[in-house]
């Protein structure tokens, strides 16, 4: 749980990371409190991995300040690394070693004494229901099992801040759920700060706060609830016959977001005039659907909308 005295888990002030002319991270300021469960969202190439690599000292910023649990990432990178765990977008396990060997090797790197290391490895394997895979070579695991071992490896030393770059990419729903439940447990039981990027937006619902990035910039920051409320009470989705506008005056609902033959409208009204809309549109549209906003809608307006 966040406390008033604990330094923020991470604090970025006007951070820039340029790769030649490309601004991968562009004037980013962000503070994540100790104990928060934080989601980093954004389209491909928006700067999520670069941000994670800057916070974990794998990259140095072009300019700006980065602090992790109060330590300066530029001046005290070793202190920063001691505080954090990192699960990379790509697996960092040795595929030719067994699950157990991978975990024990990581424990040795972190100087965790033998008996404690063995206990933690056993506990983590039990949590992920992988006890019977301990002596299996990593290359023989399924993608979901491999990801679980990657995460086990990242939390073995009980870091205060855990970064995960797309921890659940390519996994089925059951394994994705298992991993998010595990992250929630780490946060609850160990007070670990968890900062995870994901493309599966519905996964971000349990986060305390989420940030949307676009072209290296933060475009929105808040709790999932706040973000959903920002969309409105409903989203009206209209499928048109072709790309032509169905002739709905913008004054009625505001400007739509157009995605191919789909038009999405944000609806603030509690009781939208659906009968009137149906009358007006008649048979010029294929379908008309009114639904509650989802994080997908937030994402669509963040990435495609103008406002
Ligand atoms: N080492 C590098 N050299 C040059 N450009 C880079 C480098 N690393 C990243 N970039 C560029 O910086 C931008 C941000 O990349 P980044 O990997 O941070 O995006 P991302 O949000 O993690 O994307 P994805 O969702 O696809 O993982 C991209 O345009 C990418 O091509
Ligand atoms: Mg990435």
């Amino acid at each position: 749980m966040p406390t008033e005295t604990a330094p923020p888990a991470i604090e970025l002030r006007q951070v820039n990371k340029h790769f030649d002319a490309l601004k991968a991270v562009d004037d980013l300021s962000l503070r994540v409190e100790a104990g928060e469960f934080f989601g980093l969202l954004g389209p491909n190439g928006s700067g999520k991995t670069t941000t994670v690599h800057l916070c974990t000292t794998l990259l140095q910023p072009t300019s700006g300040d980065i602090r992790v649990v109060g330590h300066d990432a530029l001046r005290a990178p070793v202190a920063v690394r001691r505080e954090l765990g990192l699960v990379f977008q790509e697996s960092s396990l040795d595929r030719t070693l067994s699950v157990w060997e991978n975990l024990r090797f990581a424990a040795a790197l972190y100087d965790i004494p033998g008996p404690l290391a063995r206990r933690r490895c056993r506990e983590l394997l039990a949590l992920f229901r992988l006890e019977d895979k301990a002596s299996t070579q990593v290359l023989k695991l399924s993608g979901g099992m491999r990801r679980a071992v990657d995460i086990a490896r990242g939390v073995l030393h009980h870091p205060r801040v855990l970064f995960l770059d797309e921890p659940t990419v390519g996994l089925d729903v059951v394994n994705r759920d298992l991993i998010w439940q595990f992250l929630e447990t780490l946060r609850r039981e160990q007070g670990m700060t968890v900062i995870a990027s994901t493309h599966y937006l519905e996964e971000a619902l349990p986060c305390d706060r989420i940030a949307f990035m676009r072209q290296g910039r933060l475009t929105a920051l808040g709790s999932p609830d706040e973000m959903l409320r920002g969309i409105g009470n409903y989203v009206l989705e209209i499928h048109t016959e072709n790309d032509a506008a169905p002739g709905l005056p913008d004054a009625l609902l505001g400007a739509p977001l157009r995605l191919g033959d789909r038009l999405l409208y944000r609806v603030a009204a509690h009781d939208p005039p659906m009968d009137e809309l149906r009358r007006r549109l008649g048979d010029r549209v294929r379908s008309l659907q009114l639904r509650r906003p989802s994080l997908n809608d937030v994402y669509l307006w963040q990435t495609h909308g103008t406002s």
Side-chain angles (χ1 to χ4, degrees), residues 19 22 24 42-50 89 166 199:
F19 295 111
L22 182 94
N44 292 132
S46 55
K48 303 181 297 297
T49 296
T50 307
Q89 192 163 354
E166 300 191 29
H199 281 283

Side-chain angles (χ1 to χ4, degrees), residues 72-109:
D72 187 310
L74 267 183
R75 292 196 197 87
V78 177
V80 166
R81 277 178 226 142
R82 260 202 298 269
E83 304 285 7
L84 56 87
L86 173 57
V87 178
F88 288 94
Q89 192 163 354
E90 304 292 335
S91 174
S92 57
L93 301 170
D94 186 326
R95 293 166 61 87
T96 62
L97 295 182
S98 72
V99 169
W100 188 257
E101 286 164 340
N102 263 287
L103 294 181
R104 290 306 308 275
F105 181 61
L109 284 181

Side-chain angles (χ1 to χ4, degrees), residues 23 36 45 56 58 77 140 162 168 171 193 215 251 259 265 281 295 300 306:
K23 294 179 176 176
E36 260 195 290
T56 52
L58 295 174
K140 292 180 183 155
L162 176 65
T168 54
L171 304 191
T193 309
Q215 294 177 346
L259 301 165
Y265 293 87
L281 291 167
L295 281 182
L300 288 174
T306 47

Side-chain angles (χ1 to χ4, degrees), residues 107-164:
L109 284 181
Y110 290 121
D111 280 335
I112 304 173
L116 180 62
R118 278 194 295 279
R119 201 182 77 222
R120 283 197 188 159
C121 292
R122 273 199 302 271
E123 280 170 7
L124 285 163
L125 290 181
L127 252 172
F128 283 116
R129 300 164 205 165
L130 286 173
E131 296 104 317
D132 60 338
K133 300 287 179 197
S135 52
T136 305
Q137 260 183 315
V138 164
L139 59 87
K140 292 180 183 155
L141 297 179
S142 77
M145 294 171 187
R146 196 160 56 235
R147 211 57 186 137
V149 180
D150 254 313
I151 294 173
R153 185 189 192 279
V155 299
L156 207 49
H157 58 304
H158 288 189
R160 282 166 82 175
V161 188
L162 176 65
F163 290 89
L164 305 109

